[in-house]
PDB file of all heavy atoms in Angstrom:
ATOM      1  N   VAL L  27      62.409 -69.288 -32.033  1.00  0.00           N
ATOM      2  CA  VAL L  27      61.811 -70.343 -31.364  1.00  0.00           C
ATOM      3  C   VAL L  27      60.744 -70.992 -32.175  1.00  0.00           C
ATOM      4  O   VAL L  27      60.625 -72.217 -32.396  1.00  0.00           O
ATOM      5  CB  VAL L  27      61.266 -69.915 -29.971  1.00  0.00           C
ATOM      6  CG1 VAL L  27      60.379 -71.006 -29.375  1.00  0.00           C
ATOM      7  CG2 VAL L  27      62.378 -69.526 -29.042  1.00  0.00           C
ATOM      8  N   GLU L  28      59.909 -70.235 -32.795  1.00  0.00           N
ATOM      9  CA  GLU L  28      58.769 -70.631 -33.587  1.00  0.00           C
ATOM     10  C   GLU L  28      59.281 -71.434 -34.797  1.00  0.00           C
ATOM     11  O   GLU L  28      58.709 -72.541 -35.084  1.00  0.00           O
ATOM     12  CB  GLU L  28      57.864 -69.521 -33.974  1.00  0.00           C
ATOM     13  CG  GLU L  28      56.576 -69.988 -34.711  1.00  0.00           C
ATOM     14  CD  GLU L  28      55.638 -68.813 -34.869  1.00  0.00           C
ATOM     15  OE1 GLU L  28      55.783 -67.743 -34.301  1.00  0.00           O
ATOM     16  OE2 GLU L  28      54.694 -69.074 -35.675  1.00  0.00           O
ATOM     17  N   ASN L  29      60.250 -70.930 -35.467  1.00  0.00           N
ATOM     18  CA  ASN L  29      60.805 -71.693 -36.595  1.00  0.00           C
ATOM     19  C   ASN L  29      61.454 -73.066 -36.163  1.00  0.00           C
ATOM     20  O   ASN L  29      61.250 -73.997 -36.918  1.00  0.00           O
ATOM     21  CB  ASN L  29      61.906 -70.842 -37.268  1.00  0.00           C
ATOM     22  CG  ASN L  29      61.278 -69.710 -37.989  1.00  0.00           C
ATOM     23  OD1 ASN L  29      60.125 -69.778 -38.429  1.00  0.00           O
ATOM     24  ND2 ASN L  29      62.062 -68.615 -38.238  1.00  0.00           N
ATOM     25  N   LEU L  30      62.106 -73.136 -35.049  1.00  0.00           N
ATOM     26  CA  LEU L  30      62.643 -74.357 -34.661  1.00  0.00           C
ATOM     27  C   LEU L  30      61.575 -75.330 -34.215  1.00  0.00           C
ATOM     28  O   LEU L  30      61.676 -76.533 -34.565  1.00  0.00           O
ATOM     29  CB  LEU L  30      63.615 -74.134 -33.445  1.00  0.00           C
ATOM     30  CG  LEU L  30      65.007 -73.514 -33.808  1.00  0.00           C
ATOM     31  CD1 LEU L  30      65.756 -73.152 -32.521  1.00  0.00           C
ATOM     32  CD2 LEU L  30      65.828 -74.431 -34.566  1.00  0.00           C
ATOM     33  N   LEU L  31      60.489 -74.895 -33.713  1.00  0.00           N
ATOM     34  CA  LEU L  31      59.364 -75.768 -33.366  1.00  0.00           C
ATOM     35  C   LEU L  31      58.709 -76.236 -34.568  1.00  0.00           C
ATOM     36  O   LEU L  31      58.405 -77.420 -34.673  1.00  0.00           O
ATOM     37  CB  LEU L  31      58.325 -74.984 -32.469  1.00  0.00           C
ATOM     38  CG  LEU L  31      58.779 -74.699 -31.027  1.00  0.00           C
ATOM     39  CD1 LEU L  31      57.796 -73.791 -30.324  1.00  0.00           C
ATOM     40  CD2 LEU L  31      58.974 -75.990 -30.167  1.00  0.00           C
ATOM     41  N   LYS L  32      58.550 -75.421 -35.646  1.00  0.00           N
ATOM     42  CA  LYS L  32      58.003 -75.886 -36.819  1.00  0.00           C
ATOM     43  C   LYS L  32      58.893 -76.983 -37.494  1.00  0.00           C
ATOM     44  O   LYS L  32      58.333 -77.878 -38.066  1.00  0.00           O
ATOM     45  CB  LYS L  32      57.799 -74.743 -37.806  1.00  0.00           C
ATOM     46  CG  LYS L  32      56.665 -73.893 -37.506  1.00  0.00           C
ATOM     47  CD  LYS L  32      56.532 -72.657 -38.512  1.00  0.00           C
ATOM     48  CE  LYS L  32      55.427 -71.743 -38.164  1.00  0.00           C
ATOM     49  NZ  LYS L  32      55.363 -70.581 -39.067  1.00  0.00           N
ATOM     50  N   VAL L  33      60.210 -76.716 -37.489  1.00  0.00           N
ATOM     51  CA  VAL L  33      61.113 -77.738 -38.057  1.00  0.00           C
ATOM     52  C   VAL L  33      60.981 -79.075 -37.383  1.00  0.00           C
ATOM     53  O   VAL L  33      60.983 -80.095 -37.993  1.00  0.00           O
ATOM     54  CB  VAL L  33      62.538 -77.213 -38.080  1.00  0.00           C
ATOM     55  CG1 VAL L  33      63.510 -78.272 -38.433  1.00  0.00           C
ATOM     56  CG2 VAL L  33      62.655 -76.003 -39.120  1.00  0.00           C
ATOM     57  N   ARG L  34      60.982 -79.049 -36.074  1.00  0.00           N
ATOM     58  CA  ARG L  34      61.025 -80.255 -35.256  1.00  0.00           C
ATOM     59  C   ARG L  34      59.652 -81.028 -35.243  1.00  0.00           C
ATOM     60  O   ARG L  34      59.679 -82.209 -35.345  1.00  0.00           O
ATOM     61  CB  ARG L  34      61.265 -79.962 -33.750  1.00  0.00           C
ATOM     62  CG  ARG L  34      62.634 -79.777 -33.310  1.00  0.00           C
ATOM     63  CD  ARG L  34      63.590 -80.840 -33.048  1.00  0.00           C
ATOM     64  NE  ARG L  34      63.187 -82.127 -32.437  1.00  0.00           N
ATOM     65  CZ  ARG L  34      63.246 -82.462 -31.259  1.00  0.00           C
ATOM     66  NH1 ARG L  34      63.622 -81.641 -30.330  1.00  0.00           N
ATOM     67  NH2 ARG L  34      62.939 -83.653 -30.806  1.00  0.00           N
ATOM     68  N   PHE L  35      58.521 -80.219 -35.170  1.00  0.00           N
ATOM     69  CA  PHE L  35      57.286 -80.828 -34.948  1.00  0.00           C
ATOM     70  C   PHE L  35      56.214 -80.641 -36.042  1.00  0.00           C
ATOM     71  O   PHE L  35      55.129 -81.063 -35.896  1.00  0.00           O
ATOM     72  CB  PHE L  35      56.639 -80.406 -33.589  1.00  0.00           C
ATOM     73  CG  PHE L  35      57.693 -80.665 -32.369  1.00  0.00           C
ATOM     74  CD1 PHE L  35      58.216 -79.535 -31.845  1.00  0.00           C
ATOM     75  CD2 PHE L  35      57.964 -81.865 -32.011  1.00  0.00           C
ATOM     76  CE1 PHE L  35      59.147 -79.776 -30.787  1.00  0.00           C
ATOM     77  CE2 PHE L  35      58.807 -82.159 -30.957  1.00  0.00           C
ATOM     78  CZ  PHE L  35      59.436 -81.090 -30.325  1.00  0.00           C
ATOM     79  N   GLY L  36      56.556 -79.922 -37.044  1.00  0.00           N
ATOM     80  CA  GLY L  36      55.621 -79.749 -38.180  1.00  0.00           C
ATOM     81  C   GLY L  36      54.899 -78.517 -37.947  1.00  0.00           C
ATOM     82  O   GLY L  36      55.276 -77.401 -38.218  1.00  0.00           O
ATOM     83  N   GLU L  37      53.702 -78.671 -37.450  1.00  0.00           N
ATOM     84  CA  GLU L  37      52.875 -77.513 -37.223  1.00  0.00           C
ATOM     85  C   GLU L  37      52.895 -77.075 -35.730  1.00  0.00           C
ATOM     86  O   GLU L  37      53.271 -77.896 -34.896  1.00  0.00           O
ATOM     87  CB  GLU L  37      51.368 -77.746 -37.612  1.00  0.00           C
ATOM     88  CG  GLU L  37      50.693 -78.835 -36.757  1.00  0.00           C
ATOM     89  CD  GLU L  37      49.290 -79.038 -37.130  1.00  0.00           C
ATOM     90  OE1 GLU L  37      49.098 -79.712 -38.148  1.00  0.00           O
ATOM     91  OE2 GLU L  37      48.359 -78.466 -36.444  1.00  0.00           O
ATOM     92  N   ILE L  38      52.469 -75.888 -35.406  1.00  0.00           N
ATOM     93  CA  ILE L  38      52.501 -75.388 -34.075  1.00  0.00           C
ATOM     94  C   ILE L  38      51.077 -75.347 -33.591  1.00  0.00           C
ATOM     95  O   ILE L  38      50.263 -74.614 -34.038  1.00  0.00           O
ATOM     96  CB  ILE L  38      53.074 -73.972 -33.985  1.00  0.00           C
ATOM     97  CG1 ILE L  38      54.573 -74.069 -34.355  1.00  0.00           C
ATOM     98  CG2 ILE L  38      52.942 -73.492 -32.492  1.00  0.00           C
ATOM     99  CD1 ILE L  38      55.289 -72.732 -34.296  1.00  0.00           C
ATOM    100  N   ASP L  39      50.712 -76.334 -32.756  1.00  0.00           N
ATOM    101  CA  ASP L  39      49.398 -76.426 -32.187  1.00  0.00           C
ATOM    102  C   ASP L  39      49.284 -75.604 -30.905  1.00  0.00           C
ATOM    103  O   ASP L  39      50.241 -74.772 -30.562  1.00  0.00           O
ATOM    104  CB  ASP L  39      49.030 -77.865 -31.921  1.00  0.00           C
ATOM    105  CG  ASP L  39      49.911 -78.560 -30.912  1.00  0.00           C
ATOM    106  OD1 ASP L  39      50.725 -77.854 -30.225  1.00  0.00           O
ATOM    107  OD2 ASP L  39      49.831 -79.807 -30.770  1.00  0.00           O
ATOM    108  N   ASN L  40      48.235 -75.674 -30.137  1.00  0.00           N
ATOM    109  CA  ASN L  40      48.005 -74.850 -28.977  1.00  0.00           C
ATOM    110  C   ASN L  40      49.037 -75.124 -27.901  1.00  0.00           C
ATOM    111  O   ASN L  40      49.441 -74.153 -27.236  1.00  0.00           O
ATOM    112  CB  ASN L  40      46.615 -75.034 -28.434  1.00  0.00           C
ATOM    113  CG  ASN L  40      45.525 -74.415 -29.387  1.00  0.00           C
ATOM    114  OD1 ASN L  40      45.829 -73.583 -30.207  1.00  0.00           O
ATOM    115  ND2 ASN L  40      44.255 -74.813 -29.271  1.00  0.00           N
ATOM    116  N   GLU L  41      49.408 -76.346 -27.712  1.00  0.00           N
ATOM    117  CA  GLU L  41      50.403 -76.765 -26.679  1.00  0.00           C
ATOM    118  C   GLU L  41      51.727 -76.038 -27.017  1.00  0.00           C
ATOM    119  O   GLU L  41      52.334 -75.552 -26.124  1.00  0.00           O
ATOM    120  CB  GLU L  41      50.534 -78.241 -26.647  1.00  0.00           C
ATOM    121  CG  GLU L  41      49.480 -78.950 -25.770  1.00  0.00           C
ATOM    122  CD  GLU L  41      49.699 -80.409 -25.647  1.00  0.00           C
ATOM    123  OE1 GLU L  41      50.110 -81.009 -26.575  1.00  0.00           O
ATOM    124  OE2 GLU L  41      49.632 -80.854 -24.486  1.00  0.00           O
ATOM    125  N   LEU L  42      52.135 -76.194 -28.281  1.00  0.00           N
ATOM    126  CA  LEU L  42      53.439 -75.656 -28.640  1.00  0.00           C
ATOM    127  C   LEU L  42      53.383 -74.063 -28.584  1.00  0.00           C
ATOM    128  O   LEU L  42      54.360 -73.417 -28.264  1.00  0.00           O
ATOM    129  CB  LEU L  42      53.893 -76.155 -29.985  1.00  0.00           C
ATOM    130  CG  LEU L  42      54.237 -77.635 -29.988  1.00  0.00           C
ATOM    131  CD1 LEU L  42      54.582 -78.046 -31.464  1.00  0.00           C
ATOM    132  CD2 LEU L  42      55.402 -77.976 -29.066  1.00  0.00           C
ATOM    133  N   GLN L  43      52.320 -73.520 -29.006  1.00  0.00           N
ATOM    134  CA  GLN L  43      52.035 -72.057 -28.976  1.00  0.00           C
ATOM    135  C   GLN L  43      52.231 -71.510 -27.599  1.00  0.00           C
ATOM    136  O   GLN L  43      52.891 -70.490 -27.418  1.00  0.00           O
ATOM    137  CB  GLN L  43      50.775 -71.698 -29.582  1.00  0.00           C
ATOM    138  CG  GLN L  43      50.506 -70.209 -29.750  1.00  0.00           C
ATOM    139  CD  GLN L  43      51.424 -69.532 -30.791  1.00  0.00           C
ATOM    140  OE1 GLN L  43      51.591 -70.164 -31.840  1.00  0.00           O
ATOM    141  NE2 GLN L  43      52.000 -68.450 -30.476  1.00  0.00           N
ATOM    142  N   ALA L  44      51.703 -72.286 -26.680  1.00  0.00           N
ATOM    143  CA  ALA L  44      51.803 -71.782 -25.168  1.00  0.00           C
ATOM    144  C   ALA L  44      53.166 -71.846 -24.672  1.00  0.00           C
ATOM    145  O   ALA L  44      53.420 -71.141 -23.707  1.00  0.00           O
ATOM    146  CB  ALA L  44      50.961 -72.805 -24.380  1.00  0.00           C
ATOM    147  N   ILE L  45      54.138 -72.609 -25.264  1.00  0.00           N
ATOM    148  CA  ILE L  45      55.509 -72.679 -24.644  1.00  0.00           C
ATOM    149  C   ILE L  45      56.453 -71.663 -25.330  1.00  0.00           C
ATOM    150  O   ILE L  45      57.581 -71.490 -24.895  1.00  0.00           O
ATOM    151  CB  ILE L  45      56.078 -74.062 -24.699  1.00  0.00           C
ATOM    152  CG1 ILE L  45      56.432 -74.466 -26.130  1.00  0.00           C
ATOM    153  CG2 ILE L  45      55.199 -75.016 -23.937  1.00  0.00           C
ATOM    154  CD1 ILE L  45      57.171 -75.728 -26.220  1.00  0.00           C
ATOM    155  N   ILE L  46      56.016 -70.955 -26.401  1.00  0.00           N
ATOM    156  CA  ILE L  46      56.884 -70.026 -27.030  1.00  0.00           C
ATOM    157  C   ILE L  46      57.368 -68.887 -26.114  1.00  0.00           C
ATOM    158  O   ILE L  46      58.524 -68.577 -26.018  1.00  0.00           O
ATOM    159  CB  ILE L  46      56.310 -69.459 -28.316  1.00  0.00           C
ATOM    160  CG1 ILE L  46      56.209 -70.576 -29.368  1.00  0.00           C
ATOM    161  CG2 ILE L  46      57.076 -68.277 -28.877  1.00  0.00           C
ATOM    162  CD1 ILE L  46      55.456 -70.255 -30.603  1.00  0.00           C
ATOM    163  N   GLU L  47      56.437 -68.283 -25.457  1.00  0.00           N
ATOM    164  CA  GLU L  47      56.773 -67.164 -24.552  1.00  0.00           C
ATOM    165  C   GLU L  47      57.687 -67.505 -23.394  1.00  0.00           C
ATOM    166  O   GLU L  47      58.755 -66.942 -23.240  1.00  0.00           O
ATOM    167  CB  GLU L  47      55.469 -66.527 -24.004  1.00  0.00           C
ATOM    168  CG  GLU L  47      55.784 -65.275 -23.117  1.00  0.00           C
ATOM    169  CD  GLU L  47      54.488 -64.706 -22.648  1.00  0.00           C
ATOM    170  OE1 GLU L  47      53.420 -64.835 -23.248  1.00  0.00           O
ATOM    171  OE2 GLU L  47      54.603 -63.939 -21.618  1.00  0.00           O
ATOM    172  N   PRO L  48      57.462 -68.647 -22.704  1.00  0.00           N
ATOM    173  CA  PRO L  48      58.432 -69.062 -21.694  1.00  0.00           C
ATOM    174  C   PRO L  48      59.754 -69.411 -22.244  1.00  0.00           C
ATOM    175  O   PRO L  48      60.768 -69.055 -21.547  1.00  0.00           O
ATOM    176  CB  PRO L  48      57.750 -70.324 -21.062  1.00  0.00           C
ATOM    177  CG  PRO L  48      56.356 -70.231 -21.379  1.00  0.00           C
ATOM    178  CD  PRO L  48      56.262 -69.449 -22.667  1.00  0.00           C
ATOM    179  N   LEU L  49      59.858 -69.903 -23.378  1.00  0.00           N
ATOM    180  CA  LEU L  49      61.164 -70.273 -24.024  1.00  0.00           C
ATOM    181  C   LEU L  49      61.941 -68.978 -24.390  1.00  0.00           C
ATOM    182  O   LEU L  49      63.162 -68.800 -24.331  1.00  0.00           O
ATOM    183  CB  LEU L  49      61.016 -71.199 -25.186  1.00  0.00           C
ATOM    184  CG  LEU L  49      60.640 -72.655 -24.873  1.00  0.00           C
ATOM    185  CD1 LEU L  49      60.282 -73.324 -26.123  1.00  0.00           C
ATOM    186  CD2 LEU L  49      61.769 -73.317 -24.075  1.00  0.00           C
ATOM    187  N   LEU L  50      61.134 -67.910 -24.811  1.00  0.00           N
ATOM    188  CA  LEU L  50      61.808 -66.652 -25.263  1.00  0.00           C
ATOM    189  C   LEU L  50      62.368 -65.909 -23.985  1.00  0.00           C
ATOM    190  O   LEU L  50      63.127 -65.043 -24.216  1.00  0.00           O
ATOM    191  CB  LEU L  50      60.793 -65.811 -25.929  1.00  0.00           C
ATOM    192  CG  LEU L  50      60.506 -66.285 -27.419  1.00  0.00           C
ATOM    193  CD1 LEU L  50      59.355 -65.412 -27.897  1.00  0.00           C
ATOM    194  CD2 LEU L  50      61.683 -66.096 -28.238  1.00  0.00           C
ATOM    195  N   ALA L  51      61.931 -66.313 -22.761  1.00  0.00           N
ATOM    196  CA  ALA L  51      62.493 -65.730 -21.587  1.00  0.00           C
ATOM    197  C   ALA L  51      63.781 -66.200 -21.321  1.00  0.00           C
ATOM    198  O   ALA L  51      64.705 -65.566 -20.528  1.00  0.00           O
ATOM    199  CB  ALA L  51      61.558 -66.001 -20.404  1.00  0.00           C
ATOM    200  N   LEU L  52      64.247 -67.293 -22.007  1.00  0.00           N
ATOM    201  CA  LEU L  52      65.603 -67.810 -21.955  1.00  0.00           C
ATOM    202  C   LEU L  52      66.474 -67.234 -22.990  1.00  0.00           C
ATOM    203  O   LEU L  52      66.034 -66.729 -24.015  1.00  0.00           O
ATOM    204  CB  LEU L  52      65.608 -69.316 -22.107  1.00  0.00           C
ATOM    205  CG  LEU L  52      64.709 -70.110 -21.118  1.00  0.00           C
ATOM    206  CD1 LEU L  52      64.755 -71.614 -21.524  1.00  0.00           C
ATOM    207  CD2 LEU L  52      65.267 -70.030 -19.664  1.00  0.00           C
ATOM    208  N   SER L  53      67.807 -67.223 -22.766  1.00  0.00           N
ATOM    209  CA  SER L  53      68.720 -66.791 -23.820  1.00  0.00           C
ATOM    210  C   SER L  53      68.767 -67.915 -24.897  1.00  0.00           C
ATOM    211  O   SER L  53      68.453 -69.007 -24.660  1.00  0.00           O
ATOM    212  CB  SER L  53      70.120 -66.544 -23.250  1.00  0.00           C
ATOM    213  OG  SER L  53      70.628 -67.896 -22.857  1.00  0.00           O
ATOM    214  N   PRO L  54      69.093 -67.418 -26.137  1.00  0.00           N
ATOM    215  CA  PRO L  54      69.173 -68.370 -27.214  1.00  0.00           C
ATOM    216  C   PRO L  54      70.158 -69.544 -26.959  1.00  0.00           C
ATOM    217  O   PRO L  54      69.920 -70.687 -27.353  1.00  0.00           O
ATOM    218  CB  PRO L  54      69.725 -67.518 -28.431  1.00  0.00           C
ATOM    219  CG  PRO L  54      69.193 -66.252 -28.112  1.00  0.00           C
ATOM    220  CD  PRO L  54      69.316 -66.012 -26.648  1.00  0.00           C
ATOM    221  N   GLU L  55      71.191 -69.240 -26.168  1.00  0.00           N
ATOM    222  CA  GLU L  55      72.187 -70.334 -25.784  1.00  0.00           C
ATOM    223  C   GLU L  55      71.580 -71.405 -24.959  1.00  0.00           C
ATOM    224  O   GLU L  55      71.918 -72.603 -24.987  1.00  0.00           O
ATOM    225  CB  GLU L  55      73.359 -69.706 -25.087  1.00  0.00           C
ATOM    226  CG  GLU L  55      74.194 -68.808 -25.940  1.00  0.00           C
ATOM    227  CD  GLU L  55      73.705 -67.367 -26.057  1.00  0.00           C
ATOM    228  OE1 GLU L  55      72.834 -66.974 -25.305  1.00  0.00           O
ATOM    229  OE2 GLU L  55      74.172 -66.679 -27.055  1.00  0.00           O
ATOM    230  N   LYS L  56      70.501 -71.011 -24.160  1.00  0.00           N
ATOM    231  CA  LYS L  56      69.800 -71.971 -23.321  1.00  0.00           C
ATOM    232  C   LYS L  56      68.618 -72.664 -24.075  1.00  0.00           C
ATOM    233  O   LYS L  56      68.444 -73.872 -23.877  1.00  0.00           O
ATOM    234  CB  LYS L  56      69.309 -71.263 -22.088  1.00  0.00           C
ATOM    235  CG  LYS L  56      70.444 -70.920 -21.163  1.00  0.00           C
ATOM    236  CD  LYS L  56      69.905 -70.351 -19.871  1.00  0.00           C
ATOM    237  CE  LYS L  56      71.089 -69.966 -18.979  1.00  0.00           C
ATOM    238  NZ  LYS L  56      70.630 -69.414 -17.669  1.00  0.00           N
ATOM    239  N   PHE L  57      67.840 -71.929 -24.870  1.00  0.00           N
ATOM    240  CA  PHE L  57      66.667 -72.506 -25.404  1.00  0.00           C
ATOM    241  C   PHE L  57      66.944 -73.323 -26.740  1.00  0.00           C
ATOM    242  O   PHE L  57      66.260 -74.316 -26.934  1.00  0.00           O
ATOM    243  CB  PHE L  57      65.530 -71.510 -25.714  1.00  0.00           C
ATOM    244  CG  PHE L  57      65.656 -70.519 -26.839  1.00  0.00           C
ATOM    245  CD1 PHE L  57      65.717 -70.943 -28.100  1.00  0.00           C
ATOM    246  CD2 PHE L  57      65.733 -69.126 -26.537  1.00  0.00           C
ATOM    247  CE1 PHE L  57      65.840 -69.975 -29.176  1.00  0.00           C
ATOM    248  CE2 PHE L  57      65.812 -68.209 -27.582  1.00  0.00           C
ATOM    249  CZ  PHE L  57      65.905 -68.671 -28.873  1.00  0.00           C
ATOM    250  N   THR L  58      68.077 -73.032 -27.400  1.00  0.00           N
ATOM    251  CA  THR L  58      68.344 -73.848 -28.593  1.00  0.00           C
ATOM    252  C   THR L  58      68.592 -75.256 -28.338  1.00  0.00           C
ATOM    253  O   THR L  58      67.961 -76.187 -28.986  1.00  0.00           O
ATOM    254  CB  THR L  58      69.513 -73.087 -29.416  1.00  0.00           C
ATOM    255  OG1 THR L  58      69.116 -71.749 -29.739  1.00  0.00           O
ATOM    256  CG2 THR L  58      69.793 -73.849 -30.687  1.00  0.00           C
ATOM    257  N   PRO L  59      69.508 -75.589 -27.420  1.00  0.00           N
ATOM    258  CA  PRO L  59      69.694 -77.061 -27.171  1.00  0.00           C
ATOM    259  C   PRO L  59      68.464 -77.758 -26.662  1.00  0.00           C
ATOM    260  O   PRO L  59      68.216 -78.877 -26.958  1.00  0.00           O
ATOM    261  CB  PRO L  59      70.854 -77.015 -26.070  1.00  0.00           C
ATOM    262  CG  PRO L  59      71.475 -75.693 -26.092  1.00  0.00           C
ATOM    263  CD  PRO L  59      70.436 -74.790 -26.641  1.00  0.00           C
ATOM    264  N   LEU L  60      67.626 -77.085 -25.886  1.00  0.00           N
ATOM    265  CA  LEU L  60      66.399 -77.623 -25.403  1.00  0.00           C
ATOM    266  C   LEU L  60      65.480 -78.031 -26.571  1.00  0.00           C
ATOM    267  O   LEU L  60      64.893 -79.125 -26.632  1.00  0.00           O
ATOM    268  CB  LEU L  60      65.650 -76.717 -24.455  1.00  0.00           C
ATOM    269  CG  LEU L  60      66.345 -76.339 -23.156  1.00  0.00           C
ATOM    270  CD1 LEU L  60      65.551 -75.331 -22.423  1.00  0.00           C
ATOM    271  CD2 LEU L  60      66.521 -77.586 -22.271  1.00  0.00           C
ATOM    272  N   LEU L  61      65.341 -77.075 -27.539  1.00  0.00           N
ATOM    273  CA  LEU L  61      64.477 -77.260 -28.586  1.00  0.00           C
ATOM    274  C   LEU L  61      64.987 -78.401 -29.552  1.00  0.00           C
ATOM    275  O   LEU L  61      64.182 -79.065 -30.205  1.00  0.00           O
ATOM    276  CB  LEU L  61      64.353 -76.020 -29.502  1.00  0.00           C
ATOM    277  CG  LEU L  61      63.602 -74.850 -28.833  1.00  0.00           C
ATOM    278  CD1 LEU L  61      63.613 -73.547 -29.680  1.00  0.00           C
ATOM    279  CD2 LEU L  61      62.112 -75.313 -28.672  1.00  0.00           C
ATOM    280  N   LEU L  62      66.257 -78.561 -29.559  1.00  0.00           N
ATOM    281  CA  LEU L  62      66.914 -79.597 -30.486  1.00  0.00           C
ATOM    282  C   LEU L  62      66.921 -80.960 -29.807  1.00  0.00           C
ATOM    283  O   LEU L  62      67.005 -81.984 -30.493  1.00  0.00           O
ATOM    284  CB  LEU L  62      68.238 -79.207 -30.923  1.00  0.00           C
ATOM    285  CG  LEU L  62      68.290 -77.860 -31.792  1.00  0.00           C
ATOM    286  CD1 LEU L  62      69.801 -77.485 -32.132  1.00  0.00           C
ATOM    287  CD2 LEU L  62      67.538 -78.028 -33.065  1.00  0.00           C
ATOM    288  N   GLN L  63      66.944 -81.075 -28.419  1.00  0.00           N
ATOM    289  CA  GLN L  63      67.215 -82.337 -27.801  1.00  0.00           C
ATOM    290  C   GLN L  63      66.025 -82.924 -27.066  1.00  0.00           C
ATOM    291  O   GLN L  63      65.902 -84.201 -27.009  1.00  0.00           O
ATOM    292  CB  GLN L  63      68.382 -82.182 -26.805  1.00  0.00           C
ATOM    293  CG  GLN L  63      69.662 -81.732 -27.382  1.00  0.00           C
ATOM    294  CD  GLN L  63      70.712 -81.438 -26.407  1.00  0.00           C
ATOM    295  OE1 GLN L  63      70.529 -81.577 -25.248  1.00  0.00           O
ATOM    296  NE2 GLN L  63      71.778 -80.922 -26.891  1.00  0.00           N
ATOM    297  N   LEU L  64      65.128 -82.102 -26.566  1.00  0.00           N
ATOM    298  CA  LEU L  64      63.988 -82.630 -25.742  1.00  0.00           C
ATOM    299  C   LEU L  64      62.865 -83.121 -26.672  1.00  0.00           C
ATOM    300  O   LEU L  64      62.607 -82.632 -27.679  1.00  0.00           O
ATOM    301  CB  LEU L  64      63.490 -81.588 -24.838  1.00  0.00           C
ATOM    302  CG  LEU L  64      64.474 -81.121 -23.711  1.00  0.00           C
ATOM    303  CD1 LEU L  64      63.717 -80.045 -22.879  1.00  0.00           C
ATOM    304  CD2 LEU L  64      64.962 -82.129 -22.838  1.00  0.00           C
TER     305      LEU L  64
END
């Protein structure tokens, strides 16, 4: 998750850091499309 966020948005600020844990609660099949599309 962290690597995908870095690729999409450059650096991981506090807002992005805060969403890593909730995204990890999802399966990779669910969080990967979200990270790539939203």
